[in-house]
Amino acid sequence: MTCDEARELFDHPAARPHLEACAACRDEAADVRALSSAAAALPESIEPPTDLWRKIDAKLESRVVRLPAAVRAPARRFRLAAAAAAVIAIAGAAYVAIVIGVPGRTETAVPSPAVIGIPETVPAGRAVPSPAAIPTLGGADIAFIEARQQLRAALYERRKSFSPETVRTVDRNLKLIEGAIEEIRTAVARDPGNRELQKMLIATRQREVALLQHVTQTADLRTRTR
Amino acid sequence: MKMKIALTALAVLALSVGAAAAQVQIDKKKPASPNVHVQIRNSFGSLRIVGNEAKEVSVTGRLAPGAEGLEFEGDRQDFSIEVATPEDWSYGSGDDADYRSELEIRVPSGASLDVETLNASIAITGVDGVVNVETVNGAVSAAGNPKSVQVNSVTGKVDVVAVSAEVQIESVSGAVSVKGAARTAEVTTTSGAIDVMGKEFERVQLKSTGGDVHVEGSFRGDGGLEIETFSGSVQLLVPADIAARFKMTTFSGGIESSMGPKPVRNARRSPYMEVRFATAETDFDVSVTTYSGNIVLRKSGETKPPAPAR
């Protein structure tokens, strides 16, 4: 088995002989597991910071949006696949408890199983890991969750800025992305070593945030064009 | 009976005269520098923006009967044109003629534009500067040779024609068409279809969740063409002599290509399908990724697209 093959299957029993023999792959596998553990230690719910809104653009631009390009870099792909796993896990954890779409309504059902071996549900009472505890990701994961949460709330506040027909269109498109995320997530769970699927999942999550950001900003046209 | 008809006719006539009287005709102009920046806001109706050789900014047309007025301010370098509307106008009123302001704005061809509307359609021609458009529901068309075109739309259809510079379009459900374009194009939609035709593209990035993507064109340089969809199908037509490295990937869709090796399913990761090949030694990358959307690659001029293998 080559290093490339082992990297795709590092949690599979078939990769064990290679990992035992290859120090580089073994180190990278350890990195991945450490990241996964850190991601799993996320809290059950995350309160939105009060001053986040104005920082969202910068965070998304500088951190989250850059991730897929980084994932493409062959030399770092294994480590960054771990980063991808952690992002997915963190976003998944956020699904469990944060307010989705309509304030007051909590998305409690997370039908898909664990993603890349990381549980979607997180034990309560765990401390929020500092960004330093997830060194590869920095604050990107937290920014993603914060952005999604804040944008959902902001969009809800601005729904009256749109005509009912436009609101229905936006809702339909958000559901389209949510459905895509669920479908890809289920596929990743079935094929956890598939980096293309992992990248697709991250990209689709980012697209959801980008859509929320785009529509929310467009809603402000109402106050400007008067 | 005749009396009744006559009275009705009179009433209709009176209403028409009243409505016509409420409409405000606009005809304003001011001198402007050749590279003036013009900010334009109109919620409902239409905007026609024309670049020309005159050294002035002019506004003609008709204000909606209920509009509060037209702001037309600025010096030679910077203008603001805005239709003020009552706060209680609902978004659903865009189709009502009483709410629509129909304006034609003429600017120097070197002008740059920032245009914002809610439902108003926007047609831009002959403007060479930077063009930025934001709209919720308005259809947008831009033609000519601006330095760059950036459009943000929610449901409005977007058509960009013969623009040779940078094109960046983001739409939720509105279909996006970029035709005759060159150099760079970046289009993102959620469900809107994307249709891109052009020549000598350097870098094209097209992303949609559910919208179909169609690309036909030639490419140059060491840039790339990147297409990503979830369920949207992708059809790519390229010159037979294209020099590029191809990578096409789909999870549960099909791939049919009249170039390169026959796509096959990855036995270990069924139904994952991928095909990679290069037509020459080059740094130009063509990357197509879908989850369930079909991918078709064929050479320009081939009449019938092959059915995707699944």
Side-chain angles (χ1 to χ4, degrees):
Chain A
M1 179 178 285
T2 66
C3 291
D4 277 354
E5 288 168 339
R7 283 166 180 164
E8 291 187 15
L9 296 166
F10 74 93
D11 265 345
H12 195 278
R16 277 183 201 151
H18 179 88
L19 292 176
E20 284 169 7
C22 177
C25 286
R26 199 164 54 245
D27 288 348
E28 287 194 302
D31 284 349
V32 171
R33 292 187 186 110
L35 280 167
S36 299
S37 298
L42 279 170
E44 203 167 16
S45 65
I46 298 171
E47 294 300 321
T50 53
D51 62 344
L52 178 72
W53 173 240
R54 67 177 183 276
K55 299 176 184 172
I56 286 174
D57 277 347
K59 284 182 175 178
L60 288 173
E61 286 297 321
S62 65
R63 293 168 176 170
V64 177
V65 174
R66 222 166 36 195
L67 192 55
V71 171
R72 282 197 291 273
R76 300 181 59 204
R77 58 186 174 178
F78 193 51
R79 190 167 286 120
L80 286 161
V87 166
I88 291 163
I90 290 159
Y95 263 118
V96 176
I98 65 173
V99 175
I100 303 292
V102 181
R105 183 169 73 88
T106 302
E107 185 180 285
T108 51
V110 184
S112 68
V115 176
I116 320 179
I118 300 165
E120 287 287 355
T121 50
V122 180
R126 299 223 182 145
V128 182
S130 68
I134 313 174
T136 308
L137 291 176
D141 47 349
I142 303 298
F144 178 84
I145 295 167
E146 288 172 341
R148 186 180 188 279
Q149 187 175 12
Q150 198 84 5
L151 286 164
R152 285 272 183 175
L155 180 58
Y156 179 78
E157 287 171 8
R158 289 164 173 77
R159 287 171 87 86
K160 287 180 181 171
S161 295
F162 294 120
S163 68
E165 189 184 343
T166 304
V167 169
R168 281 194 294 274
T169 300
V170 171
D171 283 346
R172 208 163 45 240
N173 280 273
L174 281 169
K175 285 192 175 80
L176 177 67
I177 292 190
E178 287 166 8
I181 288 169
E182 283 306 308
E183 202 168 328
I184 300 170
R185 224 167 55 163
T186 304
V188 171
R190 281 199 302 262
D191 189 0
N194 190 324
R195 289 198 307 277
E196 293 293 337
L197 280 175
Q198 292 169 17
K199 288 192 314 193
M200 200 179 290
L201 183 54
I202 293 169
T204 309
R205 285 194 186 283
Q206 287 173 344
R207 208 165 291 154
E208 182 191 21
V209 170
L211 171 63
L212 286 165
Q213 189 180 31
H214 169 59
V215 176
T216 304
Q217 287 173 346
T218 307
D220 290 338
L221 278 173
R222 177 59 179 161
T223 53
R224 297 207 298 267
T225 54
R226 179 171 294 156
Chain B
M1 182 65 179
K2 280 182 182 174
M3 178 67 84
K4 200 170 181 180
I5 292 171
L7 284 172
T8 305
L10 274 173
V12 168
L13 185 63
L15 283 171
S16 303
V17 169
Q23 291 177 358
V24 178
Q25 295 297 321
I26 300 293
D27 188 357
K28 296 184 176 185
K29 62 184 171 186
K30 286 185 178 182
S33 64
N35 58 349
V36 61
H37 169 255
V38 185
Q39 182 166 1
I40 302 163
R41 289 175 175 166
N42 180 23
S43 298
F44 311 109
S46 67
L47 286 171
R48 183 163 180 261
I49 303 165
V50 182
N52 61 21
E53 296 309 310
K55 294 174 180 173
E56 62 183 23
V57 173
S58 67
V59 188
T60 57
R62 180 187 70 83
L63 269 193
E68 291 173 340
L70 175 78
E71 176 192 288
F72 180 50
E73 294 177 348
D75 52 23
R76 289 176 173 273
Q77 288 291 337
D78 214 339
F79 277 83
S80 172
I81 300 168
E82 182 168 356
V83 177
T85 58
E87 194 170 340
D88 59 355
W89 281 17
S90 73
Y91 272 64
S93 63
D95 295 331
D96 188 334
D98 287 347
Y99 290 78
R100 295 170 61 86
S101 295
E102 321 278 354
L103 299 180
E104 177 168 315
I105 297 167
R106 292 184 171 266
V107 299
S109 56
S112 61
L113 304 174
D114 278 300
V115 185
E116 294 177 356
T117 80
L118 302 180
N119 289 339
S121 62
I122 302 151
I124 301 169
T125 55
V127 175
D128 297 341
V130 173
V131 173
N132 293 323
V133 176
E134 277 192 80
T135 182
V136 179
N137 308 118
V140 180
S141 71
N145 192 28
K147 276 184 189 163
S148 66
V149 175
Q150 182 171 355
V151 180
N152 288 326
S153 168
V154 178
T155 68
K157 185 181 175 209
V158 181
D159 288 302
V160 175
V161 180
V163 173
S164 61
E166 295 165 6
V167 176
Q168 188 175 34
I169 300 167
E170 186 166 355
S171 170
V172 177
S173 62
V176 176
S177 167
V178 180
K179 291 192 173 165
R183 290 184 60 187
T184 67
E186 187 178 328
V187 182
T188 304
T189 74
T190 302
S191 60
I194 302 173
D195 188 3
V196 175
M197 294 175 71
K199 58 186 178 182
E200 299 196 331
F201 281 118
E202 290 172 5
R203 183 165 295 280
V204 179
Q205 187 180 66
L206 311 173
K207 296 184 179 181
S208 181
T209 303
D212 293 339
V213 177
H214 172 266
V215 180
E216 182 170 3
S218 61
F219 305 89
R220 70 172 185 181
D222 58 355
L225 166 63
E226 184 182 357
I227 303 171
E228 287 179 18
T229 77
F230 173 73
S231 57
S233 64
V234 177
Q235 188 177 55
L236 180 57
L237 280 79
V238 297
D241 60 351
I242 186 173
R245 291 186 301 228
F246 286 84
K247 179 189 172 197
M248 295 183 287
T249 303
T250 182
F251 182 74
S252 60
I255 300 177
E256 185 63 44
S257 173
S258 58
M259 303 170 74
K262 188 180 176 189
V264 290
R265 297 255 173 230
N266 183 320
R268 197 175 58 191
R269 294 207 169 120
S270 179
Y272 182 78
M273 181 185 268
E274 181 178 280
V275 60
R276 297 179 192 227
F277 63 93
T279 57
E281 281 206 15
T282 175
D283 288 329
F284 192 93
D285 287 312
V286 175
S287 166
V288 183
T289 306
T290 77
Y291 181 84
S292 58
N294 289 328
I295 302 171
V296 173
L297 168 66
R298 61 185 173 105
K299 298 171 194 166
S300 300
E302 285 182 359
T303 51
K304 188 181 175 185
R310 298 190 70 93

